[in-house]
């Protein structure tokens, strides 16, 4: 469950109109399905800091703004932020408040109060006006040089009952089992809990991100692994309760306030960041990516960091055009995304390198970059953006494999009342038209009972207030009317379908089970369709035409 074949990058389960959003060969880098969740990790090498020039041109600020605008992540994990010294334009690391403001300027533009109140001429929404990530978390953990940050389209929310929706580092872990104890390392391992839209998703989301310790010394490797072991323990035992319903069942995690619940079965944990180790090139040594996604037992079934105790999946991201897995200019893969594949499945994953991208395939947002589109990623950072599109559990009332909100957005489902529920999924029935007095009272009333689901096939028509023990029949169509007919009013027009004759009881009641499987054209009833029913009956005591009708019944059936 850890790695995925390239065949899974195929575009599945969506209509042709949605599929056109992902076609890199023609410069389309959007999501296959709007309901897919795009998580991107990017070490930006100090570009976003208060002292940097925030201007159009061949510079890292502008290059990164264009790349973020091009790929429009739902969740963006940023490493190496706020380092003015590293950028060479100032000194020290930005405070949390300052960096939060700088990121807002990066997204929305404005006046650069950190550089003489000059106008900002390069920002994300300049290149992607309809795109925004208004929810920003800046980690308070720092190594004295830079910070990590996480940006999102979705708001933060507390998911495990500890009163927190964000944290700069995991709670301290007491040494136990494979966890050697401690926290998430030198720069912290930040986590954010997100409230996803209920109309689209069945669950929510937790994302963790980190910039683990750099360096090739044995002590550097040990520090990365130690942090990864602690984080793996927290994911398995704190958020997922070690497979049970109680967080931290062995009381090894020093959380305060204490978490009161584990994540629900539809809420995955996703991990990303610059983990500073190429785990293909490091030989037999198990690095942080291995530990974060597999914990102690590789291929195990009860200690892994997936919710079900198996291993998470680690992204197989490659450059779309070269097949390279290098996320760093050195040719190494340092940047990763792992996810709980028992909940989330991967749609696609890629590493973008503008210098390896043909001109026709460049995203529109990078076209016009000073110095040429091929230089965008090399100007931006020594790392490349890595992103994964995930399919989360979706609200799919019509069971077509596509989120209801996507169906509505593409026009394949109607939403006439604008409540984000496809019309075909909203079952209802209501009486309409007029009552017609008959020989036994003020008028006979039609009704329905049972399930309005086509699949359930348990819907029955009924009528009450009928002359005792008389014959009649139900009929129906998709058209309403109001036309005098016999001693009453015909409430149905168009192509009328008649059902078999039935007789009223001695109490003036009648019922008829409607078997959807036995209906024939033009009376075949499908989900999402509106049909109108009425009952015709003989009424010899009523005089006149000696027959009458009930009022009408409008029914919308659902799957």
């Amino acid at each position: 469950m850890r790695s995925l074949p390239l065949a899974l990058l195929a575009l599945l389960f969506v209509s042709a109109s949605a599929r056109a959003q992902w076609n890199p060969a023609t410069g389309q880098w959007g999501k296959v399905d709007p309901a897919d969740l795009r998580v991107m990790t990017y070490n930006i090498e100090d570009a976003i800091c208060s002292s940097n020039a925030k201007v159009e041109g061949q510079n890292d600020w502008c290059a990164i703004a264009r790349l973020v605008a091009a790929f429009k992540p739902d969740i963006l994990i940023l490493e190496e932020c706020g380092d003015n010294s590293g950028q060479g334009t100032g000194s020290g690391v930005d405070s949390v408040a300052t960096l939060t403001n700088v990121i807002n300027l990066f997204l929305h533009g404005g006046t650069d109060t950190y550089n003489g109140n000059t106008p900002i001429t390069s920002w994300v929404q300049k290149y992607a006006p309809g795109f925004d990530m208004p929810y920003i978390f800046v980690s308070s953990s720092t190594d004295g040089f830079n910070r990590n940050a996480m940006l999102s389209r979705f708001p933060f929310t507390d998911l495990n009952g500890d009163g927190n929706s964000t944290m700069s580092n995991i709670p301290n872990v007491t040494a136990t089992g494979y966890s050697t104890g401690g926290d998430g390392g030198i720069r912290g391992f930040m986590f954010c809990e997100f409230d996803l839209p209920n109309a689209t998703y069945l669950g929510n989301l937790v994302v963790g991100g980190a910039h683990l310790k750099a360096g090739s010394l044995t002590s550097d490797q040990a520090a990365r692994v130690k942090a990864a072991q602690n984080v793996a323990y927290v994911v398995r035992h704190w958020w997922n309760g070690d497979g049970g319903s109680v967080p931290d069942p062995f009381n090894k995690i020093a959380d305060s306030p204490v978490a009161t619940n584990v994540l629900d079965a539809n809420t995955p944990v996703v991990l990303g960041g610059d983990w500073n180790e190429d785990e293909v090139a490091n030989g037999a040594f198990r690095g942080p990516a291995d530990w974060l996604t597999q914990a102690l037992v590789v291929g195990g079934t009860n200690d892994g960091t997936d919710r079900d105790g198996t291993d998470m999946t680690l992204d197989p991201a490659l450059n779309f055009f070269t097949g390279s897995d290098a996320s760093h200019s050195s040719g190494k893969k340092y940047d990763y995304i792992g996810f709980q594949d028992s909940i989330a499945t991967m749609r696609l994953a890629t590493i973008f390198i503008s210098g390896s991208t043909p001109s026709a395939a460049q995203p529109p947002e990078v076209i016009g970059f000073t110095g040429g589109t091929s230089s965008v990623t090399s100007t931006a950072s020594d790392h490349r953006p890595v992103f994964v599109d995930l399919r989360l559990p979706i609200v799919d009332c019509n069971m077509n494999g596509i989120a209801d909100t996507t169906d509505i957005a593409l026009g394949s489902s109607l939403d006439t009342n604008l409540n984000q529920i496809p019309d075909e999924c909203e079952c209802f029935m209501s009486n309409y038209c007029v009552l017609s007095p008959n020989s036994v009272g003020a008028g006979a009333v039609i009704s329905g009972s049972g399930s309005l689901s086509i699949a359930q096939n348990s819907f029955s028509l009924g009528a009450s207030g009928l002359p005792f023990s008389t014959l009649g029949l139900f009929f129906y169509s998709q058209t309403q009317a109001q036309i005098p007919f016999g001693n009453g009013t015909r409430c149905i027009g168009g192509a009328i379908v008649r059902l078999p004759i039935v007789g009223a009881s001695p109490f003036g009641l009648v019922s008829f089970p409607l078997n959807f499987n036995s209906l024939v054209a033009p009376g075949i009833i499908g989900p999402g369709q509106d049909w109108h029913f009425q009952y015709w009956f003989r009424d010899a005591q009523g005089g006149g035409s000696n027959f009458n009708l009930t009022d009408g019944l409008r029914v919308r059936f659902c799957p």
Side-chain angles (χ1 to χ4, degrees):
M1 295 174 68
R2 179 172 177 270
S3 60
L4 295 175
L6 291 179
L8 288 187
L9 300 184
L11 310 179
L12 305 173
F13 308 116
V14 293
S15 68
S17 56
R19 187 175 295 120
Q21 295 302 309
W22 173 261
N23 188 356
T26 61
Q28 294 180 306
W29 295 82
K31 293 188 290 186
V32 172
D33 184 336
D36 290 350
L37 187 101
R38 177 165 291 181
V39 179
M40 187 164 102
T41 182
Y42 201 1
N43 182 321
I44 57 172
E45 197 186 11
D46 314 319
I48 299 179
C49 63
S50 59
S51 61
N52 197 8
K54 306 165 185 66
V55 295
E56 190 71 50
Q58 190 174 2
N59 61 76
D60 52 3
W61 173 281
C62 178
I64 291 170
R66 286 175 176 270
L67 289 168
V68 170
F71 302 125
K72 301 175 181 62
D74 297 299
I75 309 290
L76 175 59
I77 307 167
L78 293 175
E79 302 88 38
E80 287 196 24
C81 304
D83 186 355
N84 297 284
S85 302
Q87 180 64 18
T89 52
S91 61
V93 58
D94 287 329
S95 68
V96 170
T98 295
L99 185 54
T100 301
N101 187 51
V102 171
I103 292 173
N104 266 303
L105 297 175
F106 171 75
L107 292 169
H108 308 120
T111 299
D112 187 359
T113 57
Y114 306 101
N115 286 291
N117 292 316
T118 55
I120 295 171
T121 57
S122 176
W123 65 95
V124 172
Q125 287 192 333
K126 175 181 178 180
Y127 315 111
F131 172 69
D132 197 8
M133 291 180 288
Y135 304 100
I136 300 167
F137 173 68
V138 173
S139 173
S140 61
S141 296
T142 176
D143 58 358
F145 298 97
N146 51 59
R147 301 182 187 277
N148 300 322
M150 199 176 302
L151 286 59
S152 171
R153 291 181 52 232
F154 308 112
F156 306 116
T157 191
D158 173 24
L159 295 178
N160 66 354
D162 66 351
N164 299 311
S165 59
T166 60
M167 61 183 183
S168 298
N169 202 354
I170 60 169
N172 195 73
V173 180
T174 300
T176 178
Y178 61 77
S179 173
T180 55
D183 58 18
I186 186 172
R187 303 178 187 91
F189 209 114
M190 64 180 174
F191 277 88
C192 296
E193 300 169 350
F194 297 102
D195 182 13
L196 301 186
N198 294 336
T200 301
Y201 304 101
L202 295 175
N204 293 299
L205 178 70
V206 174
V207 179
H211 182 196
L212 298 181
K213 194 175 190 306
S216 57
L217 299 177
T218 301
S219 60
D220 298 326
Q221 287 184 323
R224 291 191 288 269
V225 168
K226 180 177 181 178
Q229 290 170 335
N230 293 332
V231 172
Y233 186 88
V234 167
V235 170
R236 176 63 184 157
H237 294 83
W238 199 49
W239 271 296
N240 292 145
D242 195 30
S245 60
V246 178
D248 189 22
F250 306 112
N251 297 313
K252 299 295 184 180
I253 300 170
D255 54 335
S256 180
V258 175
T260 59
N261 56 272
V262 299
L263 300 178
D264 67 64
N266 291 311
T267 296
V269 176
V270 178
L271 305 175
D274 174 4
W275 297 344
N276 261 319
E277 185 137 358
D278 189 328
E279 303 206 14
V280 174
N282 68 354
F285 183 83
R286 289 194 67 201
D290 272 358
W291 279 99
L292 286 166
T293 55
Q294 300 174 105
L296 179 62
V297 181
V298 178
T301 59
N302 58 19
D303 88 318
T305 52
D306 203 334
R307 190 181 195 278
D308 63 2
T310 63
D311 298 342
M312 275 192 186
T313 290
L314 189 63
D315 79 83
L318 304 173
N319 178 265
F320 188 85
F321 296 99
T322 68
S324 169
D325 72 344
S327 67
H328 188 264
S329 57
S330 65
K332 304 289 188 181
K333 179 172 173 61
Y334 292 148
D335 306 271
Y336 299 88
I337 297 173
F339 56 93
Q340 293 184 327
D341 57 272
S342 66
I343 304 174
T345 58
M346 193 187 79
R347 173 87 71 179
L348 58 89
T350 197
I351 300 170
F352 183 76
I353 307 171
S354 61
S356 302
T357 303
S359 297
Q362 296 287 353
E365 293 82 0
V366 306
I367 294 173
F369 179 71
T370 305
T373 54
S374 63
S375 69
V376 175
T377 50
S378 59
T379 302
S381 172
D382 56 350
H383 290 252
R384 287 79 179 257
V386 177
F387 63 83
V388 171
D389 286 4
L390 300 174
R391 304 189 74 222
L392 304 187
I394 54 172
V395 178
D396 181 21
C397 72
N398 55 16
M399 297 177 289
N400 66 350
I402 302 173
D404 293 343
T405 50
T406 298
D407 282 332
I408 293 168
L410 297 177
S412 53
S413 290
L414 297 177
D415 181 23
T416 52
N417 60 359
L418 303 179
N419 67 349
Q420 296 186 298
I421 301 173
D423 288 350
E424 67 264 29
C425 299
E426 295 191 276
C427 311
F428 69 85
M429 59 182 171
S430 60
N431 289 73
Y432 71 98
C433 206
V434 296
L435 285 177
S436 303
N438 58 44
S439 62
V440 296
V445 178
I446 190 171
S447 61
S449 62
S451 173
L452 301 184
S453 164
I454 298 296
Q456 292 280 337
N457 197 23
S458 62
F459 179 70
S460 291
L461 293 164
S464 60
L466 300 169
F468 311 136
S469 304
T470 56
L471 298 177
L473 58 84
F474 289 97
F475 60 104
Y476 65 105
S477 81
Q478 290 191 277
T479 305
Q480 289 188 6
Q482 190 165 323
I483 302 169
F485 186 53
N487 293 347
T489 300
R490 178 161 58 86
C491 303
I492 293 174
I496 292 175
V497 179
R498 294 168 177 80
L499 295 170
I501 293 174
V502 290
S505 73
F507 302 101
L509 304 174
V510 70
S511 65
F512 181 84
L514 191 62
N515 184 353
F516 298 123
N517 298 324
S518 66
L519 302 177
V520 297
I524 298 173
I525 296 174
Q529 296 176 347
D530 284 8
W531 288 86
H532 307 90
F533 298 87
Q534 195 169 16
Y535 185 69
W536 174 95
F537 58 91
R538 295 191 181 278
D539 188 9
Q541 303 301 316
S545 300
N546 296 320
F547 69 86
N548 209 326
L549 304 101
T550 63
D551 58 347
L553 181 70
R554 177 190 176 191
V555 183
R556 176 175 295 162
F557 296 94
C558 54

